[in-house]
Coordinates of all heavy atoms in Angstrom, one line a residue:
M1 N 0.9 -1.2 0.0 CA 0.0 0.0 0.0 C 0.9 1.2 0.0 O 1.8 1.3 0.8 CB -0.9 0.0 1.3 CG -1.7 1.3 1.5 SD -2.8 1.3 2.8 CE -1.8 1.1 4.3
K2 N 0.5 2.2 -0.9 CA 1.3 3.5 -0.9 C 0.5 4.6 -0.5 O -0.8 4.7 -0.8 CB 1.8 3.6 -2.3 CG 2.9 2.7 -2.8 CD 3.4 2.9 -4.1 CE 4.4 1.8 -4.5 NZ 4.9 1.9 -5.8
V3 N 1.0 5.4 0.4 CA 0.3 6.6 1.0 C 1.2 7.8 0.8 O 2.4 7.8 0.8 CB 0.2 6.4 2.5 CG1 -0.6 7.5 3.2 CG2 -0.6 5.1 2.9
K4 N 0.4 8.9 0.3 CA 1.1 10.1 0.1 C 1.0 11.0 1.5 O -0.1 11.0 2.0 CB 0.5 10.9 -1.1 CG 1.0 10.3 -2.3 CD 0.5 11.0 -3.6 CE 1.1 10.1 -4.8 NZ 0.3 10.6 -6.0
S5 N 2.1 11.7 1.8 CA 2.0 12.6 2.9 C 3.1 13.7 2.7 O 4.1 13.5 2.0 CB 2.5 11.8 4.2 OG 2.4 12.6 5.3
S6 N 2.9 14.9 3.3 CA 3.8 15.9 3.1 C 4.8 15.9 4.3 O 4.4 15.9 5.4 CB 3.0 17.3 3.3 OG 3.8 18.3 3.1
L7 N 6.1 15.8 3.8 CA 7.1 15.7 4.9 C 8.3 16.6 4.5 O 8.4 17.1 3.3 CB 7.7 14.2 4.9 CG 6.7 13.2 5.3 CD1 7.3 11.8 5.0 CD2 6.4 13.3 6.8
M8 N 9.2 16.9 5.4 CA 10.4 17.6 5.2 C 11.4 16.8 4.3 O 11.8 15.8 4.7 CB 10.9 18.2 6.5 CG 12.3 19.0 6.3 SD 11.8 20.6 5.5 CE 13.4 21.3 5.3
C9 N 11.9 17.3 3.2 CA 12.9 16.7 2.4 C 14.2 17.5 2.6 O 14.3 18.6 2.3 CB 12.5 16.6 0.9 SG 13.9 15.9 -0.1
Q10 N 15.2 16.7 3.1 CA 16.5 17.4 3.4 C 17.2 17.7 2.1 O 18.0 18.7 2.0 CB 17.4 16.4 4.1 CG 16.8 16.3 5.6 CD 17.7 15.5 6.6 OE1 18.8 15.0 6.1 NE2 17.4 15.4 7.8
N11 N 16.9 17.0 1.0 CA 17.5 17.2 -0.3 C 16.9 18.5 -0.9 O 17.7 19.4 -1.4 CB 17.4 16.1 -1.3 CG 18.2 16.3 -2.5 OD1 19.5 16.6 -2.4 ND2 17.6 16.0 -3.6
C12 N 15.6 18.6 -0.9 CA 14.9 19.7 -1.5 C 15.0 21.0 -0.5 O 14.8 22.0 -1.0 CB 13.4 19.4 -1.7 SG 13.2 18.2 -3.0
G13 N 15.1 20.8 0.8 CA 15.2 21.8 1.7 C 13.9 22.5 2.1 O 13.9 23.5 2.5
R14 N 12.8 21.7 1.8 CA 11.4 22.2 2.1 C 10.6 21.0 2.3 O 10.9 19.9 1.9 CB 11.0 23.2 1.1 CG 10.9 22.6 -0.3 CD 10.6 23.7 -1.4 NE 10.8 23.1 -2.8 CZ 9.8 22.4 -3.4 NH1 8.6 22.2 -2.9 NH2 10.0 21.9 -4.6
Q15 N 9.3 21.4 2.7 CA 8.4 20.4 2.9 C 7.8 20.0 1.4 O 7.3 20.8 0.7 CB 7.1 20.8 3.8 CG 6.3 19.7 4.3 CD 5.4 20.3 5.5 OE1 5.1 21.4 5.6 NE2 5.2 19.3 6.3
T16 N 7.8 18.7 1.1 CA 7.4 18.3 -0.2 C 6.4 17.0 -0.1 O 6.3 16.5 1.1 CB 8.6 17.9 -1.1 OG1 9.3 16.8 -0.5 CG2 9.5 19.1 -1.4
S17 N 5.9 16.7 -1.1 CA 5.0 15.4 -1.1 C 5.9 14.2 -1.1 O 6.9 14.1 -1.9 CB 4.0 15.5 -2.3 OG 3.1 14.4 -2.1
H18 N 5.6 13.2 -0.2 CA 6.4 12.0 -0.2 C 5.5 10.8 -0.4 O 4.3 10.9 -0.1 CB 7.1 11.9 1.2 CG 8.3 12.7 1.3 ND1 8.3 14.1 1.4 CD2 9.6 12.4 1.5 CE1 9.5 14.6 1.6 NE2 10.4 13.5 1.6
E19 N 6.0 9.7 -0.9 CA 5.2 8.5 -0.9 C 5.8 7.5 0.1 O 7.0 7.3 0.2 CB 5.4 7.9 -2.3 CG 4.5 6.7 -2.5 CD 4.6 6.3 -4.0 OE1 5.6 5.7 -4.4 OE2 3.7 6.6 -4.8
L20 N 5.0 7.1 1.0 CA 5.3 6.0 2.0 C 4.7 4.7 1.5 O 3.5 4.5 1.2 CB 4.6 6.5 3.3 CG 5.2 7.6 4.1 CD1 4.8 9.0 3.3 CD2 4.7 7.6 5.5
H21 N 5.6 3.8 1.4 CA 5.3 2.4 0.8 C 5.2 1.5 2.0 O 6.3 1.1 2.5 CB 6.3 2.1 -0.2 CG 6.0 0.8 -0.9 ND1 6.9 0.2 -1.8 CD2 5.0 0.0 -0.9 CE1 6.4 -0.9 -2.2 NE2 5.2 -1.1 -1.7
Y22 N 4.1 1.0 2.3 CA 3.9 0.0 3.3 C 3.8 -1.5 2.7 O 3.1 -1.6 1.7 CB 2.7 0.2 4.2 CG 2.8 1.4 5.1 CD1 2.4 2.7 4.7 CD2 3.3 1.3 6.4 CE1 2.5 3.8 5.4 CE2 3.4 2.3 7.3 CZ 2.9 3.5 6.8 OH 3.1 4.7 7.6
V23 N 4.4 -2.4 3.3 CA 4.2 -3.8 3.0 C 3.7 -4.5 4.2 O 4.4 -4.6 5.2 CB 5.5 -4.5 2.5 CG1 5.2 -5.9 2.1 CG2 6.0 -3.8 1.1
G24 N 2.5 -5.0 4.2 CA 1.8 -5.4 5.4 C 1.6 -4.3 6.3 O 1.2 -3.3 5.9
S25 N 2.1 -4.4 7.5 CA 2.1 -3.2 8.6 C 3.5 -2.6 8.6 O 3.7 -1.6 9.4 CB 1.6 -3.7 9.8 OG 2.4 -4.7 10.3
S26 N 4.4 -3.0 7.8 CA 5.8 -2.5 7.9 C 6.0 -1.4 6.9 O 5.6 -1.6 5.7 CB 6.9 -3.5 7.7 OG 6.8 -4.5 8.7
L27 N 6.7 -0.3 7.4 CA 7.0 0.8 6.4 C 8.2 0.3 5.6 O 9.3 -0.1 6.2 CB 7.3 2.0 7.2 CG 7.7 3.3 6.3 CD1 6.6 3.6 5.4 CD2 7.9 4.4 7.3
H28 N 8.2 0.2 4.3 CA 9.2 -0.3 3.5 C 10.1 0.8 3.0 O 11.3 0.7 2.9 CB 8.5 -1.1 2.4 CG 9.5 -1.6 1.3 ND1 10.5 -2.4 1.6 CD2 9.5 -1.4 0.0 CE1 11.1 -2.7 0.4 NE2 10.5 -2.1 -0.4
E29 N 9.5 2.0 2.6 CA 10.3 3.0 1.9 C 9.5 4.4 2.0 O 8.3 4.5 2.1 CB 10.4 2.6 0.4 CG 11.2 3.5 -0.4 CD 11.2 3.2 -1.9 OE1 10.3 3.4 -2.5 OE2 12.2 2.5 -2.2
I30 N 10.4 5.4 2.2 CA 9.8 6.8 2.0 C 10.6 7.6 1.0 O 11.8 7.6 1.1 CB 10.0 7.6 3.5 CG1 9.2 6.8 4.6 CG2 9.4 8.9 3.3 CD1 9.5 7.5 6.0
R31 N 9.8 8.1 0.0 CA 10.6 8.7 -1.2 C 9.9 10.0 -1.4 O 8.7 10.2 -1.6 CB 10.5 7.7 -2.4 CG 11.2 8.3 -3.5 CD 11.2 7.3 -4.7 NE 11.7 6.0 -4.3 CZ 13.0 5.7 -4.4 NH1 13.9 6.6 -4.8 NH2 13.5 4.4 -4.1
C32 N 10.8 11.1 -1.6 CA 10.3 12.4 -2.0 C 9.9 12.3 -3.5 O 10.5 11.8 -4.3 CB 11.5 13.4 -1.9 SG 11.0 15.0 -2.5
L33 N 8.6 12.9 -3.7 CA 8.1 12.8 -5.0 C 8.6 14.0 -5.9 O 8.5 13.9 -7.1 CB 6.6 12.9 -5.0 CG 5.9 11.6 -4.4 CD1 4.4 11.8 -4.3 CD2 6.2 10.4 -5.2
Q34 N 9.4 14.9 -5.3 CA 10.0 15.9 -6.1 C 11.4 15.5 -6.7 O 11.7 15.8 -7.8 CB 10.1 17.2 -5.3 CG 8.9 17.8 -4.8 CD 7.8 18.2 -5.9 OE1 8.3 18.9 -6.8 NE2 6.7 17.8 -6.0
C35 N 12.1 15.0 -5.8 CA 13.6 14.7 -6.3 C 13.9 13.2 -6.2 O 15.0 12.8 -6.5 CB 14.6 15.4 -5.3 SG 14.5 14.8 -3.5
S36 N 13.0 12.5 -5.8 CA 13.1 10.9 -5.7 C 14.1 10.4 -4.7 O 14.5 9.3 -4.7 CB 13.4 10.4 -7.1 OG 12.4 10.6 -8.0
T37 N 14.5 11.3 -3.8 CA 15.4 10.9 -2.8 C 14.8 9.9 -1.8 O 13.6 10.2 -1.4 CB 15.9 12.1 -2.0 OG1 16.7 12.9 -2.9 CG2 16.9 11.7 -0.7
E38 N 15.4 8.8 -1.5 CA 14.8 7.9 -0.5 C 15.3 8.4 0.9 O 16.5 8.3 1.2 CB 15.4 6.5 -0.8 CG 14.8 5.4 0.0 CD 15.4 4.0 -0.4 OE1 14.9 3.4 -1.2 OE2 16.4 3.7 0.3
T39 N 14.3 8.8 1.7 CA 14.6 9.1 3.0 C 14.8 8.0 4.0 O 15.7 8.0 4.8 CB 13.5 10.0 3.7 OG1 13.2 11.1 2.7 CG2 13.8 10.5 5.0
W40 N 14.0 7.0 3.7 CA 14.2 5.8 4.6 C 13.7 4.6 3.7 O 12.8 4.7 3.0 CB 13.2 5.9 5.8 CG 13.5 4.8 6.8 CD1 14.2 4.7 7.8 CD2 12.8 3.5 6.8 NE1 14.2 3.6 8.5 CE2 13.3 2.8 7.9 CE3 11.9 2.9 6.0 CZ2 12.9 1.5 8.2 CZ3 11.5 1.6 6.2 CH2 12.0 1.0 7.4
G41 N 14.6 3.5 3.9 CA 14.2 2.4 3.0 C 14.7 1.1 3.8 O 15.7 1.1 4.4
H42 N 13.8 0.1 3.8 CA 14.1 -1.2 4.3 C 14.7 -1.9 3.3 O 14.2 -2.4 2.3 CB 12.9 -1.8 4.8 CG 13.2 -3.0 5.7 ND1 13.7 -4.1 5.2 CD2 12.8 -3.2 7.0 CE1 13.8 -5.0 6.3 NE2 13.3 -4.5 7.3
H43 N 16.0 -2.1 3.4 CA 16.8 -2.8 2.2 C 16.9 -4.2 2.3 O 17.5 -4.9 1.4 CB 18.3 -2.2 2.1 CG 18.2 -0.7 1.9 ND1 17.9 -0.2 0.6 CD2 18.4 0.3 2.7 CE1 17.9 1.1 0.7 NE2 18.2 1.5 1.8
H44 N 16.2 -4.8 3.3 CA 16.0 -6.2 3.3 C 14.6 -6.5 3.5 O 14.1 -7.1 4.6 CB 16.9 -6.8 4.5 CG 18.3 -6.5 4.3 ND1 19.1 -7.2 3.4 CD2 19.1 -5.7 5.0 CE1 20.4 -6.7 3.5 NE2 20.4 -5.8 4.5
P45 N 13.7 -6.2 2.5 CA 12.3 -6.2 2.7 C 11.7 -7.8 3.0 O 10.9 -7.9 3.7 CB 11.7 -5.8 1.4 CG 12.8 -5.8 0.5 CD 14.1 -5.7 1.2
V46 N 12.5 -8.7 2.3 CA 11.9 -10.1 2.5 C 12.3 -10.5 3.9 O 11.4 -11.1 4.5 CB 12.6 -10.9 1.4 CG1 12.2 -12.5 1.7 CG2 12.2 -10.6 0.0
A47 N 13.4 -10.2 4.4 CA 13.8 -10.5 5.8 C 12.8 -9.9 6.7 O 12.4 -10.5 7.7 CB 15.2 -10.2 6.1
G48 N 12.5 -8.6 6.6 CA 11.6 -7.9 7.4 C 10.2 -8.4 7.3 O 9.5 -8.6 8.4
Y49 N 9.8 -8.8 6.1 CA 8.4 -9.3 6.0 C 8.3 -10.7 6.7 O 7.3 -11.0 7.4 CB 8.1 -9.5 4.5 CG 6.7 -10.0 4.2 CD1 5.6 -9.2 4.4 CD2 6.4 -11.3 3.9 CE1 4.4 -9.6 4.3 CE2 5.3 -11.8 3.6 CZ 4.2 -11.0 3.9 OH 2.9 -11.4 3.6
V50 N 9.4 -11.6 6.5 CA 9.4 -12.9 7.1 C 9.3 -12.7 8.7 O 8.5 -13.4 9.3 CB 10.7 -13.7 6.7 CG1 10.8 -14.9 7.6 CG2 10.6 -14.0 5.2
G51 N 10.0 -11.7 9.2 CA 9.9 -11.5 10.6 C 8.6 -11.1 11.2 O 8.1 -11.6 12.1
E52 N 8.0 -10.2 10.3 CA 6.6 -9.7 10.6 C 5.7 -10.9 10.5 O 4.8 -11.0 11.4 CB 6.3 -8.7 9.7 CG 4.9 -8.1 9.9 CD 4.4 -7.2 8.8 OE1 5.2 -6.4 8.2 OE2 3.2 -7.2 8.6
M53 N 5.8 -11.7 9.5 CA 4.9 -12.8 9.3 C 5.0 -13.8 10.5 O 3.9 -14.4 10.8 CB 5.1 -13.4 7.9 CG 4.2 -14.6 7.6 SD 2.5 -14.0 7.5 CE 2.5 -13.1 6.0
R54 N 6.1 -14.0 10.9 CA 6.4 -15.0 12.0 C 5.6 -14.6 13.2 O 4.8 -15.4 13.9 CB 7.9 -15.1 12.3 CG 8.2 -16.2 13.3 CD 9.7 -16.2 13.5 NE 10.5 -16.4 12.2 CZ 11.6 -15.7 12.0 NH1 12.1 -14.8 12.7 NH2 12.2 -15.9 10.8
G55 N 5.7 -13.2 13.6 CA 5.0 -12.7 14.6 C 3.4 -12.9 14.3 O 2.6 -13.1 15.3
R56 N 3.0 -12.6 13.2 CA 1.5 -12.7 12.8 C 1.0 -14.1 13.0 O -0.2 -14.3 13.4 CB 1.3 -12.1 11.4 CG 1.4 -10.7 11.3 CD 1.6 -10.0 9.9 NE 0.5 -10.5 9.0 CZ 0.6 -10.0 7.8 NH1 1.6 -9.4 7.3 NH2 -0.5 -10.4 7.0
I57 N 1.9 -15.1 12.6 CA 1.4 -16.5 12.7 C 1.3 -16.9 14.1 O 0.5 -17.5 14.5 CB 2.4 -17.4 11.8 CG1 2.3 -17.1 10.4 CG2 2.2 -18.9 12.2 CD1 3.3 -17.8 9.4
V58 N 2.4 -16.6 14.9 CA 2.4 -16.9 16.3 C 1.2 -16.4 17.1 O 0.6 -17.1 17.9 CB 3.8 -16.5 17.0 CG1 3.7 -16.6 18.5 CG2 4.9 -17.3 16.4
T59 N 0.8 -15.1 16.9 CA -0.2 -14.5 17.5 C -1.6 -14.8 17.0 O -2.6 -14.5 17.7 CB 0.0 -13.0 17.7 OG1 0.0 -12.4 16.4 CG2 1.4 -12.7 18.4
K60 N -1.7 -15.3 15.8 CA -3.0 -15.5 15.1 C -4.1 -16.2 15.9 O -5.2 -15.8 16.1 CB -2.8 -16.2 13.7 CG -4.0 -16.3 12.9 CD -4.4 -14.9 12.5 CE -5.5 -14.8 11.4 NZ -5.8 -13.4 11.1
P61 N -3.7 -17.5 16.6 CA -4.8 -18.1 17.3 C -5.4 -17.2 18.4 O -6.5 -17.3 18.6 CB -4.0 -19.4 17.9 CG -2.8 -19.5 17.0 CD -2.5 -18.2 16.5
W62 N -4.6 -16.5 19.1 CA -5.0 -15.7 20.2 C -5.8 -14.6 19.7 O -6.9 -14.2 20.2 CB -3.8 -15.1 21.1 CG -2.9 -16.1 21.5 CD1 -1.7 -16.4 21.2 CD2 -3.3 -17.3 22.4 NE1 -1.2 -17.6 21.8 CE2 -2.2 -18.1 22.5 CE3 -4.4 -17.6 23.1 CZ2 -2.2 -19.3 23.3 CZ3 -4.4 -18.7 23.9 CH2 -3.3 -19.5 23.9
R63 N -5.5 -14.0 18.6 CA -6.3 -12.9 18.0 C -7.6 -13.3 17.5 O -8.6 -12.6 17.7 CB -5.4 -12.2 16.8 CG -4.3 -11.4 17.4 CD -3.5 -10.7 16.2 NE -2.7 -11.6 15.4 CZ -2.7 -11.7 14.1 NH1 -3.5 -10.8 13.4 NH2 -2.1 -12.5 13.4
V64 N -7.6 -14.5 16.9 CA -8.9 -15.0 16.4 C -9.8 -15.4 17.6 O -11.0 -15.1 17.6 CB -8.7 -16.4 15.6 CG1 -10.0 -17.1 15.4 CG2 -8.0 -16.0 14.3
L65 N -9.2 -15.9 18.7 CA -9.9 -16.3 19.9 C -10.5 -15.1 20.6 O -11.7 -15.0 20.9 CB -9.1 -17.1 20.9 CG -9.8 -17.6 22.2 CD1 -10.8 -18.7 21.7 CD2 -8.7 -18.2 23.1
R66 N -9.7 -14.0 20.6 CA -10.2 -12.8 21.2 C -11.3 -12.2 20.4 O -12.4 -11.7 20.9 CB -9.0 -11.8 21.3 CG -9.5 -10.4 22.1 CD -8.3 -9.5 22.2 NE -7.8 -9.2 20.8 CZ -6.6 -9.0 20.5 NH1 -5.7 -9.0 21.5 NH2 -6.2 -8.6 19.3
E67 N -11.2 -12.2 19.0 CA -12.2 -11.8 18.1 C -13.5 -12.5 18.3 O -14.6 -11.9 18.3 CB -11.7 -11.7 16.7 CG -12.7 -11.1 15.7 CD -12.0 -11.2 14.3 OE1 -10.9 -11.1 14.1 OE2 -12.9 -11.3 13.3
M68 N -13.5 -13.8 18.4 CA -14.6 -14.6 18.5 C -15.3 -14.4 19.9 O -16.6 -14.4 19.9 CB -14.2 -16.2 18.5 CG -13.7 -16.6 17.2 SD -14.9 -16.3 15.8 CE -13.8 -15.4 14.8
T69 N -14.5 -14.0 20.9 CA -15.2 -13.8 22.3 C -15.8 -12.4 22.3 O -16.7 -12.1 23.0 CB -14.3 -14.1 23.3 OG1 -13.1 -13.3 23.2 CG2 -13.9 -15.5 23.5
T70 N -15.1 -11.4 21.6 CA -15.6 -10.0 21.8 C -16.6 -9.7 20.7 O -17.4 -8.8 20.8 CB -14.4 -9.0 21.7 OG1 -13.7 -9.2 20.6 CG2 -13.5 -9.3 23.0
E71 N -16.5 -10.3 19.5 CA -17.3 -10.1 18.4 C -17.8 -11.3 17.7 O -17.3 -11.8 16.7 CB -16.6 -9.3 17.3 CG -16.1 -7.9 17.8 CD -15.3 -7.2 16.7 OE1 -15.9 -7.0 15.5 OE2 -14.2 -6.8 16.9
P72 N -18.7 -12.1 18.4 CA -19.2 -13.3 17.8 C -19.7 -13.3 16.5 O -19.5 -14.2 15.7 CB -20.4 -13.7 18.9 CG -20.2 -12.9 20.1 CD -19.5 -11.7 19.7
A73 N -20.3 -12.2 16.0 CA -20.7 -12.1 14.7 C -19.6 -12.2 13.6 O -19.8 -12.5 12.4 CB -21.4 -10.7 14.4
A74 N -18.3 -11.9 14.0 CA -17.2 -12.0 13.2 C -16.9 -13.4 12.6 O -16.2 -13.5 11.7 CB -16.0 -11.5 13.9
I75 N -17.5 -14.4 13.3 CA -17.2 -15.8 12.9 C -17.7 -16.0 11.4 O -17.2 -16.8 10.7 CB -17.8 -16.8 13.8 CG1 -17.2 -18.2 13.6 CG2 -19.3 -16.9 13.7 CD1 -17.5 -19.1 14.7
R76 N -18.8 -15.2 11.0 CA -19.3 -15.4 9.6 C -18.2 -14.9 8.5 O -18.2 -15.5 7.5 CB -20.5 -14.5 9.5 CG -21.7 -15.2 10.0 CD -22.9 -14.4 9.9 NE -22.9 -13.5 11.0 CZ -23.7 -12.4 11.2 NH1 -24.5 -12.1 10.2 NH2 -23.6 -11.6 12.1
S77 N -17.4 -14.0 9.0 CA -16.4 -13.5 8.0 C -15.1 -14.2 8.0 O -14.2 -14.1 7.3 CB -16.1 -12.0 8.2 OG -15.4 -11.8 9.5
L78 N -15.0 -15.2 9.1 CA -13.8 -16.0 9.3 C -13.5 -16.8 8.0 O -12.2 -16.8 7.6 CB -13.8 -16.8 10.6 CG -12.5 -17.6 10.9 CD1 -11.4 -16.6 11.2 CD2 -12.8 -18.4 12.1
L79 N -14.3 -17.6 7.5 CA -14.0 -18.5 6.4 C -13.7 -17.7 5.2 O -12.6 -18.1 4.5 CB -15.3 -19.4 6.1 CG -15.0 -20.6 5.1 CD1 -13.9 -21.4 5.6 CD2 -16.3 -21.4 4.9
P80 N -14.3 -16.7 4.8 CA -13.8 -15.9 3.5 C -12.4 -15.4 3.8 O -11.6 -15.3 2.9 CB -14.9 -14.8 3.4 CG -16.1 -15.3 4.1 CD -15.6 -16.2 5.2
R81 N -12.1 -15.0 5.0 CA -10.9 -14.4 5.3 C -9.7 -15.5 5.3 O -8.7 -15.2 4.8 CB -10.8 -13.6 6.6 CG -11.6 -12.3 6.6 CD -11.4 -11.6 7.9 NE -12.1 -12.2 9.0 CZ -11.8 -12.1 10.3 NH1 -10.7 -11.5 10.7 NH2 -12.5 -12.8 11.1
V82 N -10.1 -16.6 5.7 CA -9.1 -17.7 5.7 C -8.8 -18.2 4.3 O -7.7 -18.3 3.9 CB -9.7 -18.9 6.6 CG1 -8.7 -20.2 6.3 CG2 -9.5 -18.6 8.1
A83 N -10.0 -18.2 3.5 CA -9.9 -18.6 2.1 C -9.0 -17.6 1.3 O -8.3 -18.0 0.4 CB -11.2 -18.9 1.5
S84 N -9.1 -16.3 1.6 CA -8.4 -15.4 0.8 C -7.0 -15.0 1.3 O -6.3 -14.3 0.6 CB -9.3 -14.1 0.7 OG -9.3 -13.4 2.0
K85 N -6.6 -15.7 2.4 CA -5.3 -15.3 3.0 C -4.2 -15.6 2.1 O -3.3 -14.8 2.0 CB -5.2 -16.0 4.4 CG -4.0 -15.7 5.1 CD -4.2 -14.2 5.6 CE -3.1 -13.9 6.7 NZ -3.2 -12.5 7.1
P86 N -4.1 -16.8 1.4 CA -3.0 -17.1 0.6 C -2.8 -16.0 -0.6 O -1.7 -15.6 -1.0 CB -3.3 -18.5 -0.1 CG -4.1 -19.1 0.9 CD -5.0 -18.0 1.6
V87 N -3.9 -15.5 -1.1 CA -3.9 -14.6 -2.2 C -3.4 -13.1 -1.6 O -2.6 -12.5 -2.2 CB -5.3 -14.3 -2.7 CG1 -5.3 -13.1 -3.7 CG2 -5.8 -15.6 -3.5
R88 N -3.8 -12.8 -0.3 CA -3.4 -11.6 0.3 C -1.9 -11.6 0.6 O -1.1 -10.7 0.3 CB -4.2 -11.3 1.6 CG -5.7 -10.8 1.1 CD -6.4 -10.5 2.4 NE -6.9 -11.7 3.1 CZ -6.9 -11.9 4.3 NH1 -6.4 -11.0 5.2 NH2 -7.3 -13.0 4.9
V89 N -1.4 -12.8 1.0 CA 0.1 -12.9 1.4 C 0.9 -12.9 0.1 O 1.9 -12.2 0.0 CB 0.2 -14.3 2.1 CG1 1.8 -14.6 2.2 CG2 -0.2 -14.2 3.5
A90 N 0.4 -13.6 -1.0 CA 1.1 -13.5 -2.2 C 1.1 -12.0 -2.8 O 2.1 -11.6 -3.3 CB 0.3 -14.4 -3.2
S91 N 0.0 -11.3 -2.6 CA 0.0 -9.9 -3.0 C 1.1 -9.1 -2.3 O 1.8 -8.3 -2.9 CB -1.4 -9.2 -2.8 OG -2.3 -10.0 -3.4
E92 N 1.1 -9.4 -0.9 CA 2.2 -8.6 -0.2 C 3.6 -9.0 -0.6 O 4.5 -8.1 -0.8 CB 2.0 -8.9 1.3 CG 0.8 -8.3 1.9 CD 0.5 -8.7 3.3 OE1 1.4 -9.5 3.9 OE2 -0.4 -8.2 3.9
L93 N 3.8 -10.3 -0.9 CA 5.1 -10.7 -1.4 C 5.5 -10.1 -2.8 O 6.6 -9.6 -2.9 CB 5.3 -12.2 -1.5 CG 5.4 -12.9 -0.2 CD1 5.2 -14.4 -0.3 CD2 6.7 -12.6 0.4
I94 N 4.5 -10.0 -3.7 CA 4.8 -9.5 -5.0 C 5.1 -8.0 -4.8 O 6.0 -7.4 -5.5 CB 3.4 -9.6 -5.9 CG1 3.4 -11.1 -6.2 CG2 3.6 -8.6 -7.1 CD1 2.0 -11.4 -6.9
E95 N 4.4 -7.2 -3.8 CA 4.6 -5.9 -3.7 C 6.0 -5.7 -3.1 O 6.8 -4.7 -3.4 CB 3.7 -5.3 -2.6 CG 3.6 -3.8 -2.7 CD 2.3 -3.3 -1.9 OE1 1.3 -3.9 -1.9 OE2 2.5 -2.2 -1.3
I96 N 6.5 -6.5 -2.2 CA 7.9 -6.3 -1.7 C 8.9 -6.6 -2.9 O 9.9 -5.9 -2.9 CB 8.2 -7.6 -0.7 CG1 7.4 -7.2 0.5 CG2 9.6 -7.7 -0.3 CD1 7.5 -8.4 1.5
L97 N 8.7 -7.5 -3.7 CA 9.7 -8.0 -4.7 C 9.7 -7.0 -6.0 O 10.5 -7.1 -6.9 CB 9.5 -9.4 -5.2 CG 9.6 -10.4 -4.0 CD1 9.2 -11.8 -4.5 CD2 11.0 -10.5 -3.5
R98 N 8.7 -6.0 -6.0 CA 8.6 -5.2 -7.1 C 10.0 -4.3 -7.2 O 10.4 -3.9 -6.2 CB 7.5 -4.2 -7.1 CG 6.4 -4.8 -7.9 CD 5.3 -3.7 -8.0 NE 4.0 -4.4 -7.7 CZ 3.0 -3.6 -7.4 NH1 2.9 -2.4 -7.5 NH2 1.8 -4.3 -7.2
Ligands
ZN101 ZN1 13.2 16.1 -2.2

């Protein structure tokens, strides 16, 4: 997911529009849209994603259990979410490898 935000660019010396590139919940890259300077970049995106995914997998049973106890109606959306998970993970991986 790419989000635009106005940030201070040290290369341009003023506030400019930047693109923030998220992969999953991790910030992958911040790039100035005026001069293309990369302010911050995760140069090992696959390793970062694997680490994030490991945490998501370990905590998933607890998050599902909490959701089922606090929002019982959410059980109806569980099966479609489980079924679409491989596609969503593949989309995130494709976004990393671009
Ligand atoms: Zn700039």
Side-chain angles (χ1 to χ4, degrees):
M1 171 176 61
K2 293 181 179 178
V3 177
K4 289 184 181 167
S5 181
S6 184
L7 299 171
M8 179 67 185
C9 175
Q10 293 186 355
N11 189 48
C12 294
R14 61 187 170 87
Q15 202 165 23
T16 60
S17 186
H18 284 68
E19 188 172 76
L20 288 70
H21 183 189
Y22 288 89
V23 177
S25 61
S26 297
L27 183 59
H28 174 57
E29 181 183 82
I30 300 174
R31 184 176 302 275
C32 174
L33 293 175
Q34 297 298 309
C35 68
S36 298
T37 296
E38 183 182 274
T39 304
W40 189 90
H42 193 295
H43 297 286
H44 301 287
V46 174
Y49 183 75
V50 168
E52 178 192 330
M53 184 56 75
R54 190 177 302 132
R56 287 162 60 182
I57 290 169
V58 167
T59 61
K60 188 65 169 182
W62 307 113
R63 289 184 286 128
V64 169
L65 185 62
R66 185 179 60 217
E67 187 178 328
M68 293 304 129
T69 56
T70 59
E71 298 177 53
I75 198 162
R76 281 181 275 166
S77 68
L78 184 61
L79 188 57
R81 285 186 290 152
V82 169
S84 67
K85 190 67 169 180
V87 173
R88 288 182 285 134
V89 169
S91 299
E92 289 176 358
L93 283 171
I94 289 168
E95 196 166 327
I96 289 172
L97 298 173
R98 264 194 229 166

